Amino acid sequence: SKERQMKDANFPLDMEGRTFHLGSRKGEVSNRILSVGDAARAQLLSQFLKPFPNGDPVFNMVSSRGFSVTTGVVGDSDTTVSIVTTLMGLPNMDFVVREARAVVDGPMAVVRLGTCGALQPGTLGKILVPAEGCVLVHRNPDAFIDSEGEGLSPYLISRPVLPHPTLCDNLVSELQNTLPAGLDGLRCGINCTTDSFYSSQGRTSNAFDDRNENLVQQVMEEIPNAVSFEMETFQLLHLASCSKGTIAAAACAIGLAERANNEFMSPKQLVEMEEAAGKAAIDALVGFDLSKTEL
Ligand code: R1P
Ligand code: URA
């Protein structure tokens, strides 16, 4: 609750050793984490987690900030996975990765299963995998200052960060096995993480000065193999690459909305894909050798 007494302003923990935002403590989070955006996806995929061999039930908690952690054993294995709801955007992924890292001992593997805007024609409903990397597309506020912004680009595109190659390969082969359309159901390329669902994904609005009418075209010209727009993967892959070899990360996202023709998946199709891709992501985590997080 809000009344928790915290200690250590540099990395706050409460008196029970719980982190400030994710709200978990040692023993509650597995070394293998499936990060999903929302509570409904976490709930759907918790069907793949079973009670612990000692009889303890599947662990579940929701923090005061709305993050949830569900930890259990996968199938007949004795391997645990935690499903964490990461909510939306770069700062929330930062909380999840840093605060999970703080309460887990040893190497970690994290896979994100999200939804995304599908950039390539004909990829609505496919799973888009940033096997070739992930860039950050973000608004450049300086460009919007009337007196000083002239000549500055209103949106900036970072260089790509890469997923962990073995974890990403595991994910692709599990997806191939699990998706109804097999290989046809997925497309690999570059993902673009953005700092807005709206402006930096090229959604236009009369309510704001966004200068983004040509942004999708610019992204596709600069990154011809861009497959998706979403809002967290860059932060996950970037932090993993800065984790001193302790975190392996990979990601995939369901093409929920196709940008070229403005089509949306139906809720029923979305649940089917979440279930298939979620199973694949969990199996990819279970099959990953944690001693190989270092690149
Ligand atoms: C925007 O609607 C949200 O959907 C995508 C974006 O990354 C953003 O978080 O992912 P999730 O479905 O995982 O939330
Ligand atoms: N998530 C996003 O970030 N963008 C989309 O268009 C759909 C889902």
Side-chain angles (χ1 to χ4, degrees):
S1 82
K2 282 223 184 313
E3 299 83 49
R4 281 186 305 156
Q5 176 65 50
M6 308 301 294
K7 54 186 177 197
D8 188 355
N10 183 62
F11 195 94
L13 292 176
D14 73 8
M15 298 304 161
E16 297 178 341
R18 295 185 178 282
T19 62
F20 200 15
H21 312 89
L22 198 57
S24 51
R25 62 176 172 182
K26 286 206 175 183
E28 293 176 347
V29 185
S30 168
N31 296 57
R32 300 168 202 269
I33 293 176
L34 175 63
S35 157
V36 300
D38 69 8
R41 197 175 311 145
Q43 167 77 40
L44 175 73
L45 299 181
S46 67
Q47 67 177 292
F48 299 117
L49 301 184
K50 304 277 176 279
F52 293 85
N54 68 2
D56 284 353
V58 171
F59 171 82
N60 179 254
M61 61 154 296
V62 182
S63 83
S64 61
R65 293 288 184 171
F67 295 105
S68 79
V69 175
T70 309
T71 305
V73 172
V74 179
D76 298 329
S77 71
D78 53 5
T79 307
T80 62
V81 165
S82 290
I83 300 173
V84 175
T85 56
T86 305
L87 310 174
M88 290 180 283
L90 299 159
N92 282 331
M93 182 58 90
D94 196 70
F95 285 130
V96 167
V97 175
R98 290 179 188 274
E99 296 191 16
R101 177 64 285 177
V103 298
V104 171
D105 293 323
M108 294 168 66
V110 185
V111 172
R112 161 168 156 78
L113 168 62
T115 62
C116 64
L119 295 177
Q120 301 284 343
T123 54
L124 182 74
K126 291 191 193 290
I127 307 290
L128 306 170
V129 186
E132 294 161 34
C134 177
V135 299
L136 180 65
V137 178
H138 59 105
R139 206 169 155 104
N140 177 11
D142 291 352
F144 293 82
I145 301 172
D146 280 344
S147 54
E148 298 164 37
E150 222 165 292
L152 295 179
S153 176
Y155 296 89
L156 302 175
I157 306 178
S158 78
R159 296 175 56 153
V161 287
L162 293 170
H164 188 284
T166 316
L167 186 58
C168 183
D169 283 353
N170 280 6
L171 181 60
V172 168
S173 40
E174 293 295 348
L175 284 166
Q176 213 171 306
N177 294 337
T178 317
L179 296 178
L183 250 188
D184 267 355
L186 66 96
R187 177 77 69 92
C188 293
I190 289 194
N191 172 62
C192 308
T193 293
T194 64
D195 62 349
S196 168
F197 179 82
Y198 298 101
S199 67
S200 45
Q201 291 189 17
R203 291 189 164 91
T204 52
S205 156
N206 288 328
F208 295 93
D209 173 14
D210 283 331
R211 307 182 200 181
N212 64 349
E213 293 76 11
N214 301 320
L215 182 60
V216 175
Q217 196 190 337
Q218 181 198 335
V219 168
M220 299 310 287
E221 278 169 13
E222 287 184 32
I223 312 169
N225 54 343
V227 289
S228 49
F229 267 153
E230 54 76 78
M231 300 180 63
E232 297 81 17
T233 297
F234 184 87
Q235 192 70 5
L236 170 61
L237 301 188
H238 168 61
L239 285 178
S241 78
C242 297
S243 70
K244 306 182 178 178
T246 72
I247 304 175
C252 63
I254 303 161
L256 178 65
E258 184 166 323
R259 296 303 306 277
N261 62 12
N262 262 332
E263 301 229 332
F264 246 92
M265 283 175 87
S266 73
K268 184 169 171 287
Q269 285 173 312
L270 175 60
V271 169
E272 282 169 15
M273 291 307 280
E274 286 178 319
E275 209 163 353
K279 170 92 173 61
I282 289 171
D283 288 345
L285 282 163
V286 170
F288 182 70
D289 179 352
L290 279 175
S291 70
K292 301 273 163 55
T293 52
E294 202 144 355
L295 287 170

